[in-house]
Amino acid sequence: IRDSHKSNELYGIYFAKQAIVKADRCFLVEGYTDVISMHQAGFTNAVASLGTALTSQHASLLKRYTDEVILTYDSDEAGVKAALRAIPLLKEAGVATRVLSMLPYKDPDEFIKALGAEEFQKRIDQAQNSFLFEIDVLQRNYDMQDPQSKTAFYEETAKKLMTFDQELERENYIEAVASRYGVGFDALRKLVN
């Protein structure tokens, strides 16, 4: 496949199309071997971008078949960065996104070989909301034992919370973040507003 086509082609899409539509969700993985392993384990709604980062064309293509994508990227730093780049592209295309944790394994192929399809399904059921995933990754940059650093984390989080246009959705996320990080709902809401 020529490079010009890589930005709008997804590996495995022709085999996965029907399964994606039927399940109304798609697994987006990093590599060919992950797609193959997942299909062999019965997760036939898995696809991968072809040796390139996810593009808006990929996101639009996925939107044709489903409203939900579960990012099933590698658990290393590169995989986390790839997930953080993919989330806004998928959101822009109108696709809800969750993030699946493969830890302590590197990728779906390793995970399935080690623990099997049943355990993998349990991880799918626990896949994390993409916004909360972003906040968890953001939090790694702050020392939550230091009051100044902790305040800076809440300020950055408030900026991210402001991106929700709909008031109800914003309130729901403020509530989720407040309970997850042990900050008062009203205090966080004031910071956002």
Side-chain angles (χ1 to χ4, degrees):
I1 294 179
R2 290 197 319 273
D3 283 347
S4 61
H5 292 293
K6 284 184 177 181
S7 66
N8 52 22
E9 293 287 329
L10 289 165
Y11 179 77
I13 191 74
Y14 301 106
F15 300 108
K17 257 189 261 189
Q18 285 179 306
I20 292 169
V21 171
K22 189 177 174 201
D24 195 27
R25 73 172 170 206
C26 174
F27 295 101
L28 189 58
V29 300
E30 282 189 73
Y32 309 92
T33 52
D34 296 322
V35 172
I36 294 163
S37 288
M38 286 184 68
H39 281 246
Q40 286 173 342
F43 304 100
T44 54
N45 50 337
V47 297
S49 48
L50 290 163
T52 176
L54 190 77
T55 65
S56 52
Q57 292 98 311
H58 290 133
S60 298
L61 178 61
L62 288 167
K63 176 64 180 166
R64 279 194 232 158
Y65 303 109
T66 187
D67 291 323
E68 183 185 41
V69 166
I70 298 178
L71 293 174
T72 315
Y73 286 169
D74 294 2
S75 55
D76 60 9
E77 201 54 43
V80 169
K81 283 181 179 160
L84 291 173
R85 280 193 306 269
I87 291 166
L89 290 172
L90 290 161
K91 186 179 181 179
E92 201 175 292
V95 179
T97 313
R98 291 190 296 145
V99 182
L100 197 144
S101 168
M102 233 70 58
L103 291 170
Y105 301 96
K106 182 183 182 282
D107 57 29
D109 180 49
E110 252 184 43
F111 187 103
I112 291 166
K113 281 178 181 158
L115 301 179
E118 209 172 294
E119 284 302 312
F120 196 75
Q121 181 60 54
K122 287 180 188 171
R123 284 291 174 98
I124 293 165
D125 299 338
Q126 298 163 359
Q128 188 178 25
N129 171 290
S130 62
F131 181 80
L132 295 175
F133 169 79
E134 289 178 293
I135 299 301
D136 281 353
V137 173
L138 176 70
Q139 192 251 312
R140 295 176 196 169
N141 302 318
Y142 296 90
D143 175 3
M144 298 304 277
Q145 303 309 310
D146 175 57
Q148 188 177 353
S149 183
K150 196 173 184 177
T151 302
F153 164 68
Y154 290 132
E155 286 167 352
E156 277 307 304
T157 301
K159 284 179 195 166
K160 285 190 162 291
L161 285 161
M162 284 191 276
T163 62
F164 293 104
D165 298 328
Q166 191 188 64
E167 189 180 345
L168 179 64
E169 187 179 26
R170 190 170 52 247
E171 292 279 310
N172 287 336
Y173 277 102
I174 291 170
E175 190 180 325
V177 169
S179 88
R180 187 180 193 104
Y181 294 100
V183 63
F185 173 77
D186 291 331
L188 186 57
R189 186 207 236 164
K190 273 184 193 149
L191 200 55
V192 173
N193 295 334

